[in-house]
């Protein structure tokens, strides 16, 4: 555990990933997942000079495939990740600033298609370490509950 001050968050929170142009995305705070995961319904790698980048599309709101945000970011790693069902998948890893309430910090995000999942993002324990403690009985402690119209 880090010496940083601990803040309490709920088991789900609204986040922003401004560097990717995502003003709001509901995340499940998942202490069982080591790495955070961001929904990407398409991922296209491309070489830029000496660096590998990915272009990808995000549906930031669950049950809404109309709102689309197209993103791009440099790849920092490629990893084989096991999901909760034990299925292994090779994923691109990017890093971006994530904002929760008034707090912002860099988080590694794996890109995967989460269309069939309830949450478009998982905030894993590596992103939480030294920053937050989780109250599993509460929701939206730092972000407030936002309401968005469904299509």
């Amino acid at each position: 555990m880090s010496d940083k001050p601990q803040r309490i968050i709920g088991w789900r929170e609204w986040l922003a990933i401004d560097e990717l142009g995502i003003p709001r995305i509901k995340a499940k705070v998942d202490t069982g997942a080591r790495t955070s995961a961001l929904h990407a319904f398409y991922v296209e790698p491309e070489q830029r000079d000496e660096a590998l980048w990915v272009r990808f599309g995000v549906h930031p709101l669950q049950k809404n495939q109309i709102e689309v945000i197209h993103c791009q970011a440099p790849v920092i790693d490629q990893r084989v990740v096991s999901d909760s069902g034990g299925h292994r998948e090779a994923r691109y890893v990017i890093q971006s600033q994530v904002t929760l309430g008034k707090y912002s910090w860099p988080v590694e995000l794996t890109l995967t298609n989460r269309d069939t999942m309830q949450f478009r993002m998982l905030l894993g324990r590596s992103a939480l370490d030294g920053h937050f403690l989780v109250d599993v009985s509460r929701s939206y402690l730092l972000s407030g509950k936002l309401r968005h119209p469904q299509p």
Side-chain angles (χ1 to χ4, degrees):
M1 187 79 111
S2 170
D3 291 336
K4 294 179 184 177
Q6 300 296 308
R7 296 154 189 97
I8 299 175
I9 62 175
W11 72 271
R12 58 187 169 177
E13 295 282 351
W14 284 97
L15 307 175
I17 311 172
D18 292 328
E19 290 176 322
L20 298 178
I22 302 172
R24 66 201 181 286
I25 189 166
K26 191 178 353 176
K28 177 181 179 185
V29 178
D30 189 348
T31 60
R34 181 181 329 169
T35 309
S36 299
L38 177 63
H39 166 66
F41 66 91
Y42 74 84
V43 178
E44 298 172 347
E46 66 178 33
Q47 198 68 35
R48 293 189 188 173
D49 298 320
E50 301 294 317
L52 180 62
W53 281 64
V54 284
R55 291 181 302 167
F56 56 98
V58 176
H59 297 127
L61 302 175
Q62 65 193 53
K63 301 178 187 170
N64 180 336
Q65 294 190 352
I66 295 171
E67 185 173 345
V68 175
I69 299 173
H70 299 281
C71 309
Q72 56 185 344
V75 174
I76 63 166
D77 198 6
Q78 294 179 58
R79 297 183 192 145
V80 175
V81 177
S82 296
D83 66 17
S84 59
H87 304 100
R88 296 171 57 84
E89 175 186 39
R91 297 183 188 172
Y92 291 104
V93 183
I94 64 169
Q95 183 172 311
S96 193
Q97 286 288 120
V98 170
T99 301
L100 171 54
K102 64 181 181 179
Y103 305 103
S104 185
W105 72 106
V107 172
E108 288 187 356
L109 302 164
T110 65
L111 302 176
T112 187
N113 190 320
R114 297 186 54 79
D115 267 334
T116 62
M117 305 297 187
Q118 185 175 0
F119 291 88
R120 298 301 193 197
M121 182 171 168
L122 294 180
L123 191 62
R125 67 179 179 268
S126 295
L128 302 170
D129 189 23
H131 298 283
F132 303 101
L133 297 174
V134 182
D135 181 341
V136 298
S137 68
R138 306 206 33 218
S139 299
Y140 313 114
L141 292 179
L142 291 184
S143 62
K145 186 167 184 176
L146 302 175
R147 297 219 182 260
H148 296 283
Q150 295 297 318

